[in-house]
Amino acid sequence: MRHLALLILPLAVSACGQTASKPSTPPAHAELIANEAELLKLTLTPKAQQRLGIETTTVGGGSAAQMRQVTGEIVVPPTSAGGVPTNSLTNLQQIGSQQAVADGEVARTEAQARLARIALTRAEALVREEAGSVRARDEAAAAHAAAQAALGAARQQRRLLGPAVATLGTQSTLWVRASVFASDVGAVLRGSEAMIRPLGGNGEGRSARPVQAPPSADSVAGTVDLYYAVNNGDRALRVGQRVAVELPLAGRTQGLSVPSSAIVRDIYGGEWVYQKTGADTFVRQRVEVASESSGQALLARGLKAGALVVTVGTAELFGTEFGAAH
């Protein structure tokens, strides 16, 4: 027993000298910052509502055509059916040089065609006066036909090169090249118009009609190019500009509909409406817009049918809410 006590004593002393190990730091930590359920409830007197011009409407059902939004690029349409559109990646210096050569070839063949026509007219006159041979007239006719064929080929080659480089920025009609995933091409209604909107722009878009163009695709991205013609009489669109293209799809989407004026967006892109929950109370409610057209927004989620939402004065309520919070 004496020897056993002597062995246990050093172990106890060693254990007392060790410091307690600290618990390891967890790899992740979540902290509650805000909760959408804790939004402010605004209470406005009837006089304040009248001063802000508050107007409400009842949320009801609605439907909208299915749309698919893709990216597009403004390009210059060719001057002939077999031409290739001019886009931002086109080497304009090379195109300009080729156009100059083609213009010269057109001028040369036009001169040859005029000379061939003069020779044919002279040969026909000699035959009528019985002063020339029929063979010479036939040879002149063949030379004139060859000159006309050369002129037609030169003009077609010039048309394939598109409009002059100097006039690219003044085209009244431009094309939009929309890149669509190959899996979605079959669902696009090719006979219907698309809607074009500048990226980051506000207001109404502009319609674009479908046009036929040489087939093109991107095998790396797996996209197919669809082309639409858009009126650019106001010169608002620029060649190479990126735009958002809303393509019509088959079928319609059902949901709740509210006026577009009821939607307010925060700095993070979140979409909200102000719901009237009482006689003088308003609460901001998050929603998700599925589509928006003709002043109406179709909601994917966020409200129930029959709810009262503010349609006029949403910006004023938004400012009042955050002004009161501070």
Side-chain angles (χ1 to χ4, degrees), residues 17 61 89 91 116 134 324:
L89 299 180
N91 189 334
V134 175

Side-chain angles (χ1 to χ4, degrees), residues 207-281:
S207 61
R209 56 181 176 82
V211 293
Q212 295 294 331
S216 61
D218 189 341
S219 59
V220 177
T223 57
V224 178
D225 296 332
L226 301 180
Y227 290 87
Y228 295 84
V230 59
N231 183 19
N232 192 41
D234 56 356
R235 305 293 191 271
L237 299 175
R238 307 290 296 177
V239 179
Q241 180 180 349
R242 295 289 179 174
V243 294
V245 184
E246 294 182 357
L247 302 176
L249 303 180
R252 298 185 67 85
T253 302
Q254 303 292 330
L256 297 179
S257 178
V258 298
S260 299
S261 59
I263 307 297
V264 60
R265 294 175 172 85
D266 58 26
I267 61 174
Y268 304 106
E271 298 165 328
W272 307 80
V273 298
Y274 277 94
Q275 181 177 353
K276 189 173 184 179
T277 58
D280 300 320
T281 57

Side-chain angles (χ1 to χ4, degrees), residues 177 208 281 301:
R177 179 175 60 84
T281 57
R301 64 181 181 89

Side-chain angles (χ1 to χ4, degrees), residues 2-129:
R2 182 182 300 174
H3 293 294
L4 181 59
L6 292 175
L7 290 175
I8 293 176
L9 182 60
L11 294 176
V13 174
S14 176
C16 293
Q18 294 179 355
T19 59
S21 59
K22 296 182 179 180
S24 58
T25 304
H29 174 67
E31 181 181 354
L32 181 63
I33 296 178
N35 190 344
E36 290 185 7
E38 300 174 356
L39 298 173
L40 295 179
K41 180 173 69 173
L42 299 177
T43 301
L44 277 70
T45 64
K47 186 176 180 180
Q49 297 179 42
Q50 183 180 4
R51 185 171 61 252
L52 295 178
I54 301 297
E55 295 181 10
T56 61
T57 188
T58 303
V59 177
S63 65
Q66 292 188 12
M67 307 291 288
R68 180 63 51 83
Q69 189 174 73
V70 299
T71 58
E73 180 188 2
I74 301 298
V75 299
V76 179
T79 55
S80 64
V84 178
T86 303
N87 55 36
S88 60
L89 299 180
T90 303
N91 189 334
L92 296 182
Q93 183 177 3
Q94 181 181 4
I95 290 293
S97 177
Q98 293 174 350
Q99 288 178 353
V101 174
D103 290 337
E105 183 65 16
V106 169
R108 185 183 68 82
T109 53
E110 286 178 347
Q112 289 181 343
R114 286 195 298 269
L115 290 176
R117 182 60 189 172
I118 294 172
L120 176 60
T121 302
R122 185 182 297 114
E124 290 175 343
L126 292 175
V127 169
R128 286 194 301 269
E129 297 295 333

Side-chain angles (χ1 to χ4, degrees), residues 129-150:
E129 297 295 333
E130 298 181 354
S133 65
V134 175
R135 178 178 179 180
R137 183 197 61 185
D138 293 342
E139 290 177 350
H144 178 261
Q148 288 293 331

